[in-house]
Amino acid sequence: MKELKIIGIDHGNASIKTHTGFECKSGFTILNDEPISQKRLLQFESKYYSIGSERFPVKADKTLDEDFFVLSLGAIAESIVDVANGLVGERDIILSAGLPIVNYGRMKERFKSYFIRNNIGFIYESREYLINIKDCFVFPQSYSALLTKFSEYKNLPLVNVCDIGGGTCDCFVIEYGLLNTSSCFSLPVGAIHLYNNIIQQALALGYHLTESQIQQMILGKQPTFKDEGLFKIVNDTATRFTQKLLSQVGEHGFELRLNPTVFCGGGSILLKQILEENNTGYTEVIEDSFTNAKGFEMLAKQKLLKR
C-alpha cells in the first residue's frame, strides 16, 4: 500500500476547514459548463462544482446526500497538491473528521462509512487526482479542539467547554482532563441563526446584507458605504444573541461564574468580545478556527501509532 496521507477535516455547517489551513463556505454551485476561472473548480462525475461559492442550509445529518463528500474532495485536493510541479498521482488517504459529542456514538459508524471509497477520480483546478480513502477516523468535536490547550486545563477540577458553530452550540464539562459524558448537550443555535436574524431586520429596511458583511460589522469593521443604523442593528442583535446563549447554557447546569469556560468554534471567535464582556467568570476563546481539524489530525496520528 502507498504511503498514507492523513487529512484532518472539520465539516462545519458554516465552513469546511482542514488542518493544513484551507477554509471555504460549506457549499457549492453546480455549473452546466466549464467556466473561465479554474479557482476552486471541481470536476467530478461529469459535473462542474464551484466549491465554496455558497453555503448549504444547516444539515443535522451530513450523510443523507453526496454534498459533503463532494466538498471534501476539494478540501483533500487543497491538502495534497504539490504546487511546485502540479504532479499529484494516485494517493491513499486517511480522513480524520469529527462529530458533535451528542451525536458521536449514534452517527460515528455512518459518518465513517460515508467517506471510505476507492478509485475516486476527479479534477480540481485543472489537476487530475486519483485517490483511495482507505479509512476514516471519527472523533468528538470540541474535545479535539481542546487538545491544543489541554496542558493548561488537565489538572483543573472542572472546565466548561462551549463550541459555538454555524448551526449548533455544543457543550460539555472536563474534570481533571477527562470528559464528563453526562454533561454533554447541544443547543440548536449557532452563528447562522444570528446571521439570518440580522438579514431579516436589514431587509425590513430595504437592505440586503451578506453574511460576510455582518461578520465584518461584528468585528468592528466598515464593509458598507453607509451606516443607515445597520451597525446598531448588527451589534444589538449579536449582543442579545450572545446573552441568550449564555443564559441557556447556564440553564443546563453550567456554572459560568465560578468555573473557567473555554469557548471554541468559528462563532466563538466572531463573538469573542461580546462573550468576554457578558460572561461573568473566567473566559478563554480559542482563536484558531482550525483547532478542530488540527486536533483530528493529531488524534489520527496517535491512533496509527498504536496499531
Side-chain angles (χ1 to χ4, degrees):
M1 187 173 67
K2 303 172 185 65
E3 179 185 358
L4 289 169
K5 171 71 174 179
I6 300 172
I7 300 177
I9 301 182
D10 181 2
H11 298 87
N13 276 299
S15 61
I16 187 166
K17 310 177 187 75
T18 70
H19 79 274
T20 58
F22 170 74
E23 180 178 8
C24 72
K25 292 180 184 177
S26 289
F28 52 69
T29 303
I30 301 177
L31 307 171
N32 294 324
D33 301 298
E34 183 177 1
I36 296 174
S37 173
Q38 296 293 312
K39 184 65 175 176
R40 293 187 179 174
L41 181 68
L42 171 74
Q43 185 178 352
F44 177 59
E45 295 184 343
S46 303
K47 293 182 180 179
Y48 292 100
Y49 300 88
S50 178
I51 300 295
S53 56
E54 62 177 64
R55 178 182 55 75
F56 299 136
V58 173
K59 297 187 179 189
D61 186 349
K62 299 180 175 73
T63 67
L64 295 179
D65 55 40
E66 290 288 273
D67 288 350
F68 272 84
F69 181 80
V70 171
L71 272 175
S72 297
L73 295 182
I76 290 169
E78 292 277 357
S79 300
I80 66 176
V81 65
D82 182 353
V83 178
N85 54 33
L87 299 176
V88 180
E90 185 175 358
R91 301 295 295 268
D92 287 346
I93 304 295
I94 288 182
L95 283 189
S96 190
L99 287 168
I101 284 181
V102 292
N103 296 331
Y104 179 72
R106 178 172 57 88
M107 297 185 63
K108 176 183 175 181
E109 291 304 318
R110 189 190 318 171
F111 207 56
K112 176 179 178 177
S113 60
Y114 173 76
F115 288 108
I116 298 176
R117 313 181 193 189
N118 287 317
N119 299 313
I120 309 163
F122 61 95
I123 299 172
Y124 185 77
E125 294 188 346
S126 300
R127 294 186 176 96
E128 294 186 13
Y129 295 78
L130 178 61
I131 64 171
N132 306 297
I133 302 179
K134 293 296 185 180
D135 207 344
C136 177
F137 300 152
V138 184
F139 301 104
Q141 287 175 199
S142 314
Y143 187 73
S144 301
L146 199 64
L147 287 177
T148 59
K149 294 284 185 178
F150 189 72
S151 61
E152 299 176 25
Y153 295 103
K154 65 180 181 179
N155 295 319
L156 295 182
L158 194 151
V159 179
N160 305 310
V161 181
C162 297
D163 182 350
I164 306 176
T168 61
C169 175
D170 303 311
C171 305
F172 56 91
V173 165
I174 296 291
E175 297 176 352
Y176 292 107
L178 298 176
L179 172 65
N180 181 338
T181 55
S182 66
S183 69
C184 302
F185 68 91
S186 181
L187 298 172
V189 289
I192 292 172
H193 301 86
L194 171 61
Y195 301 150
N196 290 340
N197 189 338
I198 293 171
I199 287 170
Q200 291 304 312
Q201 292 184 65
L203 282 174
L205 297 177
Y207 297 102
H208 179 72
L209 283 179
T210 66
E211 291 183 0
S212 177
Q213 288 174 318
I214 293 169
Q215 292 166 5
Q216 293 298 301
M217 287 181 176
I218 292 175
L219 295 173
K221 299 178 182 178
Q222 177 79 40
T224 60
F225 288 114
K226 296 182 179 180
D227 183 345
E228 303 294 349
L230 293 176
F231 266 91
K232 180 172 174 54
I233 289 174
V234 169
N235 290 317
D236 287 353
T237 305
T239 298
R240 289 194 301 271
F241 172 88
T242 306
Q243 291 171 341
K244 182 178 179 180
L245 186 62
L246 291 172
S247 177
Q248 289 176 306
V249 171
E251 288 172 0
H252 278 77
F254 277 42
E255 177 53 74
L256 303 179
R257 295 165 299 176
L258 301 179
N259 304 311
T261 302
V262 178
F263 292 93
C264 57
S268 297
I269 297 171
L270 179 67
L271 300 170
K272 178 178 184 293
Q273 182 175 344
I274 304 174
L275 285 167
E276 292 174 342
E277 291 172 352
N278 286 271
N279 192 27
T280 54
Y282 175 83
T283 300
E284 178 174 2
V285 177
I286 300 178
E287 295 190 69
D288 184 353
S289 62
F290 299 96
T291 49
N292 265 317
K294 291 176 180 177
F296 299 153
E297 189 238 3
M298 290 169 56
L299 288 169
K301 287 182 175 179
Q302 292 174 10
K303 188 169 183 176
L304 285 178
L305 287 175
K306 294 177 181 179
R307 283 186 169 182

